[in-house]
């Protein structure tokens, strides 16, 4: 795995700032952020909005099985609603729900409360709506808009952690797809692409710490789930070169599905190995697409000398299961 000690230290500082209510560190100065926003506005002007601002309506029951349906909710941003697709069957929520129904041999009742353009601050309102569905499993995709709206990392992480805690207190299992690496977005030019990559991965690492501490588990989106997006951007990204294509959303859904199944006890866990530090694991996961991080206990203890014990699984198809 490729990772940097600095990312682990940054995740620790962001998590600490979130815990005490501070604004947290910023990875970018004001001048750099101004340039980033200018690049983003230019990219949006060049590309336009070929998808509009809404995903297809996809609430409903999926899976032709008998029995009480598993209640699943999708929260977050444009990725959660499948912006750019026209058929509900192509959205991540429906792809996950339909596959989960086959694994469980039960129908899945899907409720989508995510919104295109949402940042972490909007999760509280989304959770209010999600709880009305009485969810057993909640899937959250969030983070990209925190970067583009200059949200301080600790503030974004605090909103996410609160959302996960509320869902867990209501009895729902929670799986979070962490902030994708915006450095893969082609309309953003260099040298700012590497800056957004650093910011995105630091936020993803801090999200992992916060989510695991709140009782959820994370799946690293990293460079939007791996080599396929880097090597085949024309195929994996949609017309706006920012959101995934239909094939890209399929990759997103299948990266998250095993963690959803495991959270519900329907999917076998890989052989667990431990990490001595949640911060180290978070930093390593931020560099490895499809990596799941979740809490564990060692010798009956939840924490060790360097923080909470966690397991780290590489869930990508064909990849070995390992941990740090």
């Amino acid at each position: 795995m490729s990772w940097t000690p600095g990312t682990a230290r940054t995740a620790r500082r962001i998590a600490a700032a979130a815990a005490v209510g501070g604004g947290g560190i910023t990875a970018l100065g004001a001048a750099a952020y101004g340039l980033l926003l200018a690049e983003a506005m230019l990219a949006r002007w060049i590309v336009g909005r070929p998808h509009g601002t809404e995903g297809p309506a996809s609430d409903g029951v999926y899976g032709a099985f008998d029995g009480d349906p598993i209640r699943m909710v999708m929260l977050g941003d444009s990725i959660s609603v499948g912006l750019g697709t026209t058929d509900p069957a192509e959205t991540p929520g429906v792809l996950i729900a339909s596959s989960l129904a086959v694994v469980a041999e039960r129908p899945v009742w899907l409720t989508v409360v995510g919104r295109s353009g949402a940042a972490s601050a909007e999760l509280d309102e989304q959770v209010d709506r999600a709880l009305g569905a009485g969810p057993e499993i909640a899937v959250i995709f969030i983070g990209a808009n925190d970067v583009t709206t200059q949200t301080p990392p600790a503030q974004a992480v605090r909103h996410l952690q609160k959302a996960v805690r509320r869902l867990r207190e209501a009895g729902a299992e929670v799986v979070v797809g962490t902030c994708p690496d915006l450095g893969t977005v082609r309309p953003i030019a260099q040298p700012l692409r590497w800056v957004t990559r650093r910011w995105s991965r630091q936020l993803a690492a801090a999200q992992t710490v916060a989510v695991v501490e709140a009782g959820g588990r994370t799946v690293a989106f990293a460079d939007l789930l791996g080599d396929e997006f880097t090597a085949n951007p024309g195929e994996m990204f949609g017309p706006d070169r920012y959101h995934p294509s239909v094939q890209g959303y399929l990759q997103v859904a299948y990266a998250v599905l095993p963690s959803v199944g495991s959270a519900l006890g329907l999917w076998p866990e890989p052989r667990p190995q431990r990490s001595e530090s949640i911060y180290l694991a978070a930093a390593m996961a931020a560099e490895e697409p499809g990596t799941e991080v979740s809490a564990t206990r060692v010798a009956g203890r939840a924490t060790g000398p360097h923080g909470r014990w966690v397991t780290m699984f590489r869930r990508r198809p064909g990849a070995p299961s390992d941990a740090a």
Side-chain angles (χ1 to χ4, degrees):
M1 289 187 176
S2 172
W3 66 282
T4 62
T7 304
R9 290 193 295 269
T10 299
R12 183 190 293 270
R13 292 199 299 271
I14 293 172
V20 300
I25 66 166
T26 57
L28 306 177
Y33 232 131
L35 288 172
L36 172 60
L37 293 178
E39 286 280 1
M41 291 175 65
L42 177 61
R44 178 57 65 192
W45 179 78
I46 293 172
V47 173
R49 291 186 181 273
H51 300 322
T53 59
E54 302 293 335
S58 52
D59 288 8
V61 178
Y62 296 91
F65 298 96
D66 296 326
D68 293 334
I70 297 171
R71 296 180 300 278
M72 172 181 158
V73 293
M74 291 286 299
L75 305 89
D77 55 23
S78 56
I79 306 298
S80 74
V81 303
L83 186 67
T85 60
T86 57
D87 184 345
E90 297 169 343
T91 64
V94 174
L95 289 167
I96 296 169
S98 299
S99 300
L100 183 61
V102 173
V103 173
E105 297 185 341
R106 289 172 56 191
V108 175
W109 179 6
L110 173 66
T111 302
V112 179
V113 300
R115 189 186 68 81
S116 178
S120 295
E122 297 180 44
L123 287 175
D124 198 41
E125 180 180 349
Q126 291 186 18
V127 171
D128 288 341
R129 296 169 55 202
L131 292 179
E136 298 170 61
I137 180 72
V139 180
I140 304 174
F141 299 156
I142 201 74
N145 294 310
D146 292 300
V147 175
T148 59
T149 59
Q150 307 182 55
T151 303
Q155 180 179 323
V157 165
R158 193 160 58 248
H159 286 299
L160 175 58
Q161 187 171 61
K162 179 182 177 182
V164 174
R165 280 183 173 147
R166 290 184 63 198
L167 290 162
R168 293 290 291 129
E169 288 169 357
E173 298 292 338
V174 182
V175 176
V176 175
T178 57
C179 181
D181 178 4
L182 297 183
T184 62
V185 177
R186 298 298 180 183
I188 297 178
Q190 293 287 20
L192 291 175
R193 192 181 296 167
W194 77 265
V195 178
T196 60
R197 167 162 292 180
R198 179 186 176 203
W199 174 273
S200 301
R201 296 198 177 194
Q202 287 179 348
L203 178 58
Q207 286 177 318
T208 293
V209 175
V211 169
V212 172
E213 291 285 357
R217 60 181 73 195
T218 61
V219 177
F221 277 7
D223 48 355
L224 274 177
L225 302 180
D227 296 338
E228 294 88 347
F229 279 86
T230 301
N232 303 299
E235 178 182 352
M236 305 304 284
F237 283 103
D240 65 357
R241 292 178 285 164
Y242 185 89
H243 293 92
S245 64
V246 171
Q247 183 62 32
Y249 279 123
L250 185 67
Q251 187 82 357
V252 169
Y254 285 173
V256 173
L257 177 62
S259 297
V260 171
S262 292
L264 292 171
L266 300 171
W267 199 283
E269 297 278 14
R271 180 173 58 89
Q273 298 177 17
R274 73 173 189 264
S275 169
E276 292 187 357
S277 168
I278 188 174
Y279 305 104
L280 174 60
M284 295 173 71
E287 303 291 335
E288 289 290 333
T291 300
E292 177 193 308
V293 179
S294 59
T296 192
R297 302 181 75 89
V298 175
R301 301 175 66 89
T303 59
H306 303 291
R308 180 180 290 274
W309 294 112
V310 297
T311 53
M312 198 163 94
F313 304 132
R314 295 175 66 186
R315 295 282 196 176
R316 290 173 297 168
S321 170
D322 62 13

